Amino acid sequence: MMGVAVLAAPKWMTAAAATYSADGSAVKEKTGVGRMKLSWAPYELQLRHSFNLAKFSRTTTPDVLVKIELDGVTGYGEASMPPYLGESVESVTRYLSAVDLSRFTDPFRMTEIHEYMDSLAPDNRAAKASVDIALHDLAGKLMGQPWYKIWGLSPERTPDTSFTIGIDKPEVVRRKVEEAAPYKILKVKMGLDHDTETVDIIREMTDRPICVDVNQGWDDKHHALEMCHWLADRNCLFVEQPMPKEMIDETAWLRERSPLPIVADEFLQRLDDVRRAYGVYDAINIKLMKSTGMREAKQMAELAQALGMDVMLGCMTETSCGISAASQLAPLAKWADLDGNLLITNDCFDGTKIVDGKVEIPRGRAGIGAEIKG
Ligand code: MG
């Protein structure tokens, strides 16, 4: 394994060609016939720049690509496993080996399938997301429609996406800001010593708005409040996870006083966590790899909005498979951070693009809107 970069999509991905059309005509009669077949293959994502966060640094992200086949139609999914989330190729493979989709007659029974997946193991959220995404892709292809349409969302209502500038040496930060020229919002990682330097360098170069992700890096609420004021003077839109997720009272204290919205990320994973965020955070960052996929992500977005909170749509480093799936929900989000596919050099899918800084969902593609690169 050491030093061997996996640059091409595994052969397995194209082994059975999908036969679907945009209007679904070719496949309509096949719905519910036969049994779903789940398969998967590990795929190591190569990062464009080493990823430096408050607590660690790395150059690859382990990933598992998933497909579900039914009567010649194939749905694709993906599990991305940044190490800090506790999942690995081994744990995802073990989980997927236990999933028997042949017991379900069709991919539309998502409630039932999710109950079944949760009954197999309580966690394994990325593994569950990979099955959920592939199910949505398959079901959307069987219906001949993209998910934003099935959900009744307007694709032109997607937000701008931010582009991440990590913590790095000044010359690297400058190069990344130049690379980020097409993006209207820059996302800055903070939470290490001297972390105001990155913001200062960006502000020397551009007045584009920034947003800040602290990744739980500030553990003193007075310092956090001081930083929120400092950032508010520098055209910052919001601050993500400023304090450790366990510091709930301190975060609520900060939220009451902060001139900038406070967004929850590490604090929450799934639907049950949304209510806990109410009164503590102004908004929640939903990611498919945390939420167990598209189905629960949509439920989270709707609950957050019903509670008066804003929605941010985020991602891990992922291929355009996961990013396209997430983007189907983008019309529900106030902010998007869907740059995970732009941060890797071996994206084996084509799908959602960023056009003039804005999330552009592919209009004519059924399912999640991703296709294997030919
Ligand atoms: Mg974050």
Side-chain angles (χ1 to χ4, degrees):
M1 249 346 244
M2 280 286 285
V4 179
V6 184
L7 291 171
K11 284 259 184 309
W12 153 90
M13 288 171 69
T14 48
T19 50
Y20 58 91
S21 59
D23 67 0
S25 56
V27 296
K28 258 177 202 155
E29 290 176 6
K30 293 186 176 176
T31 308
V33 178
R35 294 290 179 199
M36 288 185 281
K37 184 177 163 249
L38 171 71
S39 56
W40 60 90
Y43 188 68
E44 188 168 74
L45 305 177
Q46 311 291 324
L47 306 185
R48 225 171 263 287
H49 299 284
S50 79
F51 200 59
N52 306 317
L53 288 185
K55 303 194 175 188
F56 64 95
S57 164
R58 64 174 199 276
T59 57
T60 62
T61 301
D63 193 273
V64 172
L65 300 172
V66 164
K67 67 178 180 181
I68 301 175
E69 293 161 280
L70 177 66
D71 297 325
V73 184
T74 304
Y76 292 98
E78 149 175 48
S80 169
M81 295 89 68
Y84 66 94
L85 291 179
E87 285 181 80
S88 62
V89 169
E90 291 68 32
S91 70
V92 168
T93 300
R94 205 178 318 121
Y95 181 83
L96 294 176
S97 304
V99 174
D100 175 19
L101 289 183
S102 72
R103 59 200 280 156
F104 299 97
T105 49
D106 67 61
F108 296 93
R109 294 175 177 252
M110 290 193 197
T111 302
E112 219 181 307
I113 295 172
H114 269 278
E115 284 167 2
Y116 164 69
M117 288 203 291
D118 279 334
S119 76
L120 294 175
D123 296 322
N124 298 93
R125 287 182 295 271
K128 289 170 186 171
S130 70
V131 176
D132 169 279
I133 294 167
L135 280 174
H136 278 81
D137 197 30
L138 178 60
K141 284 169 176 171
L142 290 169
M143 289 187 273
Q145 299 294 343
W147 275 93
Y148 72 81
K149 219 170 187 182
I150 296 164
W151 283 331
L153 304 176
S154 306
E156 61 283 347
R157 289 195 185 171
T158 56
D160 289 329
T161 195
S162 52
F163 187 85
T164 303
I165 311 289
I167 297 168
D168 227 314
K169 298 183 198 81
E171 60 271 24
V172 180
V173 170
R174 281 193 195 94
R175 201 170 67 229
K176 286 185 187 170
V177 173
E178 276 161 19
E179 256 178 49
Y183 304 93
K184 294 193 174 135
I185 304 167
L186 303 177
K187 180 168 178 172
V188 185
K189 298 285 187 182
M190 292 182 81
L192 288 180
D193 293 342
H194 314 297
D195 59 3
T196 56
E197 278 171 12
T198 307
V199 176
D200 286 333
I201 294 168
I202 292 169
R203 279 290 161 263
E204 282 164 20
M205 297 177 71
T206 171
D207 55 9
R208 264 176 294 166
I210 58 169
C211 56
V212 163
D213 189 356
V214 187
N215 292 110
Q216 317 184 71
W218 298 332
D219 51 15
D220 176 65
K221 65 183 181 183
H222 298 283
H223 172 68
L225 180 59
E226 220 172 272
M227 290 307 300
C228 287
H229 281 287
W230 187 83
L231 288 165
D233 291 338
R234 284 161 181 79
N235 196 17
C236 179
L237 301 174
F238 61 84
V239 177
E240 193 181 325
Q241 201 66 56
M243 308 187 72
K245 59 186 178 186
E246 300 81 13
M247 297 181 76
I248 294 169
D249 293 344
E250 293 85 346
T251 304
W253 179 94
L254 174 67
R255 174 183 165 266
E256 275 177 23
R257 292 160 181 80
S258 169
L260 297 176
I262 306 295
V263 182
D265 184 7
E266 286 86 343
F267 176 80
L268 92 170
Q269 313 281 346
R270 298 187 62 172
L271 184 60
D272 283 348
D273 302 319
V274 176
R275 259 183 311 177
R276 290 195 305 119
Y278 178 68
V280 183
Y281 294 88
D282 297 295
I284 60 168
N285 186 349
I286 299 172
K287 297 174 181 170
L288 298 189
M289 295 303 142
K290 298 194 299 183
S291 70
T292 70
M294 297 165 73
R295 179 177 169 278
E296 199 157 312
K298 178 159 179 286
Q299 294 172 333
M300 291 173 75
E302 288 170 341
L303 176 57
Q305 288 174 338
L307 292 170
M309 289 188 278
D310 283 316
V311 169
M312 173 181 177
L313 202 52
C315 60
M316 309 298 174
T317 38
E318 296 165 19
T319 71
S320 289
C321 176
I323 298 297
S324 301
S327 76
Q328 301 288 328
L329 282 161
L332 290 173
K334 181 171 184 177
W335 302 299
D337 181 25
L338 293 178
D339 64 352
N341 55 338
L342 306 170
L343 303 175
I344 60 171
T345 56
N346 59 337
D347 187 359
C348 51
F349 282 90
D350 173 75
T352 289
K353 298 274 185 294
I354 306 303
V355 180
D356 293 330
K358 195 172 130 81
V359 177
E360 186 77 36
I361 312 170
R363 303 287 168 97
R365 284 188 192 168
I368 61 170
E371 281 176 7
I372 296 166
K373 279 184 186 167

